[in-house]
């Protein structure tokens, strides 16, 4: 029985991934629309290559309202000297480019959440086509993948780099070694609410070293969070052997997300008032936040309490919250994974 081969990607790169030196170009994705019948989405990409070392793929704005990664990666693409490189660095500062330009988490074209669309489809929506190209053409080139995230407009996080528990313990150890080399103020053994369709899962299933981050959020990027992203990128490239020198490692507080008790979700609409700030310790049963009904004065707020001991690692940002929104994330303080 014949098996149909997958269609080629409609995306055309203007860079040559095998060439040496610095190339600034685009991934051109045809997109016919009302104001441009033969138009395209032009996703910026940079390739910096020299020598025979490994390849790192660095991506930002997988979600379009997360800015720490793009700020660091646009700068890195401009400033990284190919003479210092032994290997190849592929930089895509704004992977979900339509969402990035719109300042939204998901694409304004198809409402696609890129980080829930992997492995993608070459004949799917615009978002699925981007995911497919990363899955079939970019990720296979890479030995190391760093995908920057933060909380976007709705969450704020302690600044951490993270990896996941994996069935392959050798691969898992390599991922956590890379997290340690990134040297964010915090490092997380991360638990996903739903890992289906994520770039994380796709890359990890290929056996690659994968590092992700949550570097703040709140719909902006601070000088401090951009500096963490900038320094972490260089540290990871040094750890990979692509740049000379040892990573500039500073003390990191290791955290864990051991169970679903880490997450709290609002069951009420209203005004959220936190009584704990990010990084503060919490005990099981203690109030983290109150949600006030806003339709009338005199109504009793609803207390939301911690389900476990730990520290407040993430919190809802807008002052108003809806039922079903993630209210908070608690993480436990731990030693380095495996120790």
């Amino acid at each position: 029985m014949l098996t149909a081969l997958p269609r080629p990607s409609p995306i055309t790169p203007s860079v040559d991934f095998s060439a040496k030196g610095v190339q600034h170009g685009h991934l051109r994705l045809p997109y016919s629309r009302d104001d441009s019948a033969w138009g395209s989405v032009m996703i910026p990409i940079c390739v910096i290559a020299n020598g025979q070392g490994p390849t790192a793929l660095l991506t930002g704005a997988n979600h379009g309202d997360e800015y720490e990664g793009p700020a660091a990666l646009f700068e890195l693409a401009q400033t990284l000297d190919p003479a210092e490189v032994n290997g190849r660095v592929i930089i895509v500062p704004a992977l979900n480019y339509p969402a990035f330009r719109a300042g939204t988490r998901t694409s304004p074209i198809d409402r696609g959440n890129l980080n829930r669309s992997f492995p993608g489809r070459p004949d799917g929506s615009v978002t699925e086509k981007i995911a497919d190209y990363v899955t079939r053409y970019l990720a296979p080139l890479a030995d190391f993948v760093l995908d920057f995230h933060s909380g976007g407009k709705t969450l704020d996080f302690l600044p951490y780099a993270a990896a996941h528990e994996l069935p392959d313990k050798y691969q898992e150890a390599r991922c956590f070694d890379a997290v340690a080399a990134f040297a964010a103020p915090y490092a997380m053994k991360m638990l996903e609410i739903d890992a289906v369709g994520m770039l994380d899962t796709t890359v990890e299933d290929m056996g690659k070293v994968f590092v992700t981050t949550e570097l703040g959020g709140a719909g902006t990027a601070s000088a401090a969070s951009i500096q963490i992203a900038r320094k972490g990128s260089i540290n990871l490239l040094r750890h990979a052997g692509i740049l000379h020198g040892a990573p500039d490692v500073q003390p990191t507080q290791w955290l864990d997300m051991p169970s679903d008790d880490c997450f709290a979700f609002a069951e009420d609409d209203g005004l959220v008032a936190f009584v704990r700030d990010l990084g503060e310790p919490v005990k099981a049963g203690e109030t983290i936040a109150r949600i006030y009904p806003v339709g009338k004065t005199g109504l009793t707020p609803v207390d939301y309490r911690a389900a476990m001991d730990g520290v407040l690692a993430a919190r809802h940002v807008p002052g108003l919250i809806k039922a079903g929104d993630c209210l908070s994330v608690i993480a436990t303080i731990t030693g380095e994974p495996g120790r």
Side-chain angles (χ1 to χ4, degrees):
M1 181 178 180
L2 294 176
T3 302
L5 294 174
R7 294 186 181 185
S9 173
I11 293 177
T12 303
S14 65
V15 295
D16 179 354
F17 292 106
S18 64
K20 303 298 184 183
V22 179
Q23 301 174 77
H24 300 287
H26 296 91
L27 304 175
R28 186 179 67 82
L29 169 56
Y31 169 47
S32 178
R33 56 191 191 270
D34 289 339
D35 63 344
S36 185
W38 286 8
S40 299
V41 176
M42 304 291 283
I43 303 169
I45 187 170
C46 173
V47 181
I48 303 171
N50 183 49
Q52 302 299 317
T55 293
L57 171 63
L58 312 181
T59 59
N62 193 328
H63 295 128
D65 61 350
E66 301 174 3
Y67 300 110
E68 291 81 358
L73 294 181
F74 274 110
E75 178 186 352
L76 185 67
Q78 178 192 9
T79 59
L80 189 58
D81 183 352
E84 299 177 355
V85 170
N86 179 35
R88 179 172 50 184
V89 184
I90 303 171
I91 303 171
V92 190
L95 192 58
N96 192 344
Y97 194 63
F100 175 71
R101 291 300 300 268
T104 55
R105 179 176 177 84
T106 61
S107 173
I109 296 173
D110 55 19
R111 309 317 308 175
N113 181 337
L114 180 56
N115 212 32
R116 302 296 184 273
S117 299
F118 287 88
R121 292 172 50 198
D123 57 352
S125 67
V126 164
T127 302
E128 290 172 324
K129 289 172 181 175
I130 295 171
D132 170 74
Y133 188 83
V134 175
T135 299
R136 291 199 289 149
Y137 297 90
L138 292 186
L141 297 174
D143 302 287
F144 296 81
V145 178
L146 170 59
D147 184 41
F148 280 105
H149 285 268
S150 68
K153 292 179 180 177
T154 62
L155 292 170
D156 196 12
F157 284 86
L158 291 177
Y160 64 76
H164 302 95
E165 184 174 355
L166 299 173
D168 183 333
K169 295 305 173 184
Y170 174 71
Q171 180 190 4
E172 177 185 292
R174 295 183 69 214
C175 292
F176 279 110
D177 285 346
V179 167
F182 186 98
Y186 295 86
M188 182 75 77
K189 185 177 180 181
M190 198 167 183
L191 173 69
E192 300 289 352
I193 296 174
D194 180 10
V196 175
M198 297 182 73
L199 174 60
D200 314 40
T201 308
T202 297
V203 170
E204 289 162 352
D205 286 348
M206 294 180 185
K208 312 290 186 178
V209 174
F210 181 82
V211 175
T212 188
T213 71
E214 296 290 357
L215 299 180
T220 187
S222 67
S225 63
I226 293 171
Q227 176 59 18
I228 293 167
R230 180 189 297 120
K231 178 181 174 182
S233 299
I234 297 297
N235 276 346
L236 185 67
L237 294 177
R238 288 174 174 167
H239 172 75
I242 297 171
L243 293 181
H244 297 296
D248 180 12
V249 177
Q250 303 295 321
T252 295
Q253 175 65 71
W254 286 83
L255 304 172
D256 192 4
M257 297 167 67
S259 72
D260 289 342
D261 286 342
C262 298
F263 302 98
F265 296 90
E267 298 181 4
D268 307 271
D269 296 349
L271 172 68
V272 59
F274 279 89
V275 298
R276 290 288 187 275
D277 283 326
L278 289 178
E280 289 190 348
V282 296
K283 295 287 187 182
E286 288 183 345
T287 298
I288 299 173
R290 296 184 175 94
I291 297 180
Y292 286 83
V294 294
K296 185 179 180 181
T297 59
L299 300 178
T300 302
V302 179
D303 282 4
Y304 283 77
R305 302 181 183 276
M308 56 186 285
D309 295 350
V311 297
L312 187 63
R315 50 154 285 182
H316 183 81
V317 171
L320 296 178
I321 196 167
K322 296 178 180 178
D325 288 350
C326 182
L327 174 72
S328 62
V329 179
I330 294 173
T332 59
I333 297 174
T334 183
E336 294 185 32
R339 296 188 181 179

